[in-house]
């Protein structure tokens, strides 16, 4: 089902995407509209399921963390071992994203690190435990990211 959006609806979505914590007064001011009209538009977009929820953006760099995405290619992997590896990452402190993917890599995970030594210790422990299954991995640092 396709939804027809008016220009003001698109402008509203743009403003909410930039900062969903803005008050209705702030949104109305930016849209050059009334607060009641803006509230109606937001409610309408929620009812149409164009807006399904709101989320928090966290700037990990302001908290003193660096963020690293690590890609893995596995070998001789069974579904049970894959599940075990995913659970290993999910239980690990400061891992905030784990996903199996298709294409060049089999799995990607992202971790917040305060000191680079933490990353080396983390990878060393993981490789020691799962060395028979890891064919290749690639560490990709983020310059900046918001979550």
């Amino acid at each position: 089902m396709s939804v027809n959006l008016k220009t003001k609806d698109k402008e509203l979505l743009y403003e909410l995407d930039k900062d969903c914590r803005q008050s209705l007064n702030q949104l109305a001011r930016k849209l050059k509209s009334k607060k009641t009209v803006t509230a109606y538009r937001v409610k309408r977009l929620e009812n149409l399921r164009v807006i399904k929820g709101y989320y928090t953006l966290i700037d990990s760099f302001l908290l003193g963390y660096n963020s690293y995405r690590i890609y893995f290619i596995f070998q001789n992997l069974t579904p049970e071992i894959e599940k075990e590896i995913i659970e290993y990452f999910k239980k690990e402190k400061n891992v905030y994203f784990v996903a199996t993917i298709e294409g060049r890599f089999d799995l990607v995970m992202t971790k917040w690190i305060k000191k680079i030594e933490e990353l080396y210790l983390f990878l060393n422990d993981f490789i020691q435990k799962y060395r028979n299954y890891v064919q290749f991995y690639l560490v990709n640092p983020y310059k900046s990211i918001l979550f």
Side-chain angles (χ1 to χ4, degrees):
M1 179 180 99
S2 180
V3 177
N4 251 346
L5 295 179
K6 297 181 179 176
T7 304
K8 287 288 183 188
D9 292 327
K10 291 177 184 177
E11 290 174 12
L12 174 61
L13 290 172
Y14 172 76
E15 288 299 329
L16 286 172
D17 189 45
K18 281 185 3 186
D19 180 6
C20 65
R21 297 187 63 185
Q22 296 180 70
S23 70
L24 285 173
N25 283 332
Q26 290 171 313
L27 289 168
R29 206 173 314 117
K30 289 178 181 178
L31 297 173
K32 297 180 176 112
S33 181
K34 294 182 179 181
K35 179 181 171 182
T36 54
V37 173
T38 302
Y40 170 80
R41 286 186 183 280
V42 168
K43 191 69 175 160
R44 182 177 157 273
L45 292 170
E46 288 173 344
N47 290 338
L48 290 171
R49 305 285 294 147
V50 172
I51 298 174
K52 294 182 181 179
Y54 302 89
Y55 56 92
T56 302
L57 294 175
I58 301 168
D59 189 339
S60 63
F61 296 94
L62 288 177
L63 298 175
Y65 289 96
N66 291 309
S67 188
Y68 293 87
R69 183 174 283 177
I70 307 166
Y71 298 91
F72 292 93
I73 298 174
F74 295 116
Q75 61 188 6
N76 307 320
L77 197 64
T78 65
E80 294 79 22
I81 297 297
E82 181 180 45
K83 186 176 181 178
E84 184 181 318
I85 288 171
I86 291 169
E87 287 303 315
Y88 178 90
F89 288 140
K90 285 170 61 177
K91 290 177 184 171
E92 183 66 31
K93 183 180 177 187
N94 294 335
V95 169
Y96 62 89
F97 180 81
V98 180
T100 57
I101 53 178
E102 292 183 15
R104 181 174 176 205
F105 298 99
D106 300 314
L107 186 134
V108 61
M109 56 84 58
T110 310
K111 184 169 175 64
W112 287 350
I113 306 285
K114 284 231 182 210
K115 296 179 181 176
I116 194 70
E117 294 84 16
E118 294 174 40
L119 179 63
Y120 292 122
L121 289 172
F122 166 75
L123 281 172
N124 189 45
D125 289 346
F126 176 76
I127 297 300
Q128 288 296 321
K129 184 168 181 158
Y130 295 103
R131 77 169 63 111
N132 295 332
Y133 305 105
V134 177
Q135 180 180 347
F136 176 81
Y137 67 92
L138 173 70
V139 177
N140 186 17
Y142 281 111
K143 185 175 177 185
S144 66
I145 191 165
L146 291 177
F147 279 99

